[in-house]
Amino acid sequence: MTSCEMIREKLVLYVDGALESEEKRQVDEHLSACAGCSAEADEIGRIRAWLADPEVFAPEQDLTWQLLPEKLASRAGLLQDGKRGWAGLSLAKWACVALAILPLAIGLIWTLRYQAIAPPAPAPALAAAGNEAFLARMHTAYAREATAQYLSGCHDLLLDFISADKTCVSDRYDVSSEVTRARQLLQEKQMLDAELRVPDVARAKALCDELESFLVSLSMAQECETGDAVHSMEQFIESNQLLLRINLMQSGIS
């Protein structure tokens, strides 16, 4: 293994600031004398910055947040064609390797719904020291963000539902907007199930499942619902202290 190959195996940990002082000194010395490895370290840093961008993970009401892999792949495509990345991968493929740890990205790649994303890199590329730890940290960060977004969406929906007005005919409650949002949140929850197995957010699973039960009931409600049905769902929210538990859980996983 050449000196460049040994250094490149450490670049992810180096960029992440996770190397021991002696290893960091060795990498610093090598990068100061090797333009190729230095440029590669800069590229890895740019990809890490993309993954840390909160706008990449922010879901929208139309669920375009499902296009996360495409967003990152398009950013990687802005670099010059032919530029090679760490461990022999192009930078665009490196971004896809980083995304491969995310269940959402895996599902989208396997179904080939987004042809713009390059195929997953061979398994040996993930064996370099530090890569799996780096990707695991990114997976945990994504799981925290996705869970927090789901809980926030449920919290806002519950507040709006409790505040629904009797603006429909026959003195019924207009919950048309809440019904639509409940259906959207159910789709988010379906994709969130894999993330809820991550240890840092696993304790939120019971609450998320309970909220899902409420969302199912609300999604099947009439757009102009009777007072009895609305009050029954309000009692469910209050008796299970859903709003309070959401606030506590958000504090716990933030």
Side-chain angles (χ1 to χ4, degrees):
M1 180 181 292
T2 67
S3 60
C4 284
E5 289 173 338
M6 289 187 292
I7 292 298
R8 285 175 178 174
E9 285 190 343
K10 301 177 181 179
L11 284 182
V12 171
L13 288 175
Y14 174 80
V15 172
D16 204 34
L19 285 179
E20 298 293 337
S21 57
E22 178 59 24
E23 288 183 307
K24 181 180 182 302
R25 184 190 63 77
Q26 293 174 358
V27 175
D28 283 333
E29 289 182 357
H30 182 89
L31 295 183
S32 66
C34 179
C37 290
S38 179
E40 188 164 330
D42 291 340
E43 292 171 2
I44 293 174
R46 291 178 63 180
I47 290 177
R48 192 184 189 288
W50 294 343
L51 292 171
D53 182 358
E55 292 300 318
V56 172
F57 295 103
E60 300 173 4
Q61 288 300 319
D62 60 359
L63 295 183
T64 53
W65 63 284
Q66 297 177 35
L67 301 178
L68 168 62
E70 189 172 23
K71 290 182 184 179
L72 292 178
S74 65
R75 292 189 184 190
L78 295 176
L79 298 177
Q80 295 179 354
D81 293 338
K83 184 177 286 187
R84 303 301 295 174
W86 136 69
L89 295 175
S90 69
L91 188 57
K93 289 183 179 179
W94 191 95
C96 293
V97 172
L99 287 171
I101 194 67
L102 305 176
L104 171 60
I106 293 174
L108 295 176
I109 291 172
W110 283 352
T111 56
L112 299 179
R113 292 176 63 185
Y114 301 109
Q115 300 296 328
I117 305 173
L126 290 174
N131 295 358
E132 291 184 0
F134 173 77
L135 295 177
R137 285 194 295 275
M138 292 310 306
H139 187 196
T140 297
Y142 173 79
R144 284 176 177 268
E145 179 66 18
T147 303
Q149 291 285 356
Y150 174 74
L151 291 174
S152 179
C154 289
H155 184 274
D156 292 344
L157 175 58
L158 295 181
L159 286 178
D160 289 343
F161 179 78
I162 292 173
S163 304
D165 296 324
K166 293 182 178 180
T167 56
C168 285
V169 295
S170 303
D171 208 30
R172 288 176 175 241
Y173 289 83
D174 182 1
V175 293
S176 55
S177 173
E178 288 75 12
V179 168
T180 299
R181 288 160 60 191
R183 292 169 182 169
Q184 292 171 337
L185 284 167
L186 282 172
Q187 293 182 58
E188 290 187 27
K189 173 57 168 60
Q190 189 174 21
M191 295 183 180
L192 184 65
D193 283 337
E195 313 309 327
L196 291 172
R197 291 195 290 267
V198 173
D200 280 23
V201 298
R203 61 186 179 278
K205 186 178 187 310
L207 175 58
C208 290
D209 289 346
E210 204 166 327
L211 289 166
E212 182 180 25
S213 297
F214 174 81
L215 293 174
V216 169
S217 297
L218 180 54
S219 69
M220 295 187 294
Q222 302 179 54
E223 293 186 352
C224 287
E225 190 54 273
T226 65
D228 289 343
V230 169
H231 294 323
S232 176
M233 285 187 275
E234 288 177 344
Q235 288 176 357
F236 181 86
I237 295 172
E238 294 173 2
S239 62
N240 290 280
Q241 299 182 306
L242 293 182
L243 289 170
L244 174 61
R245 291 166 61 196
I246 289 174
N247 288 334
L248 292 175
M249 188 60 67
Q250 285 179 309
S251 299
I253 65 174
S254 61

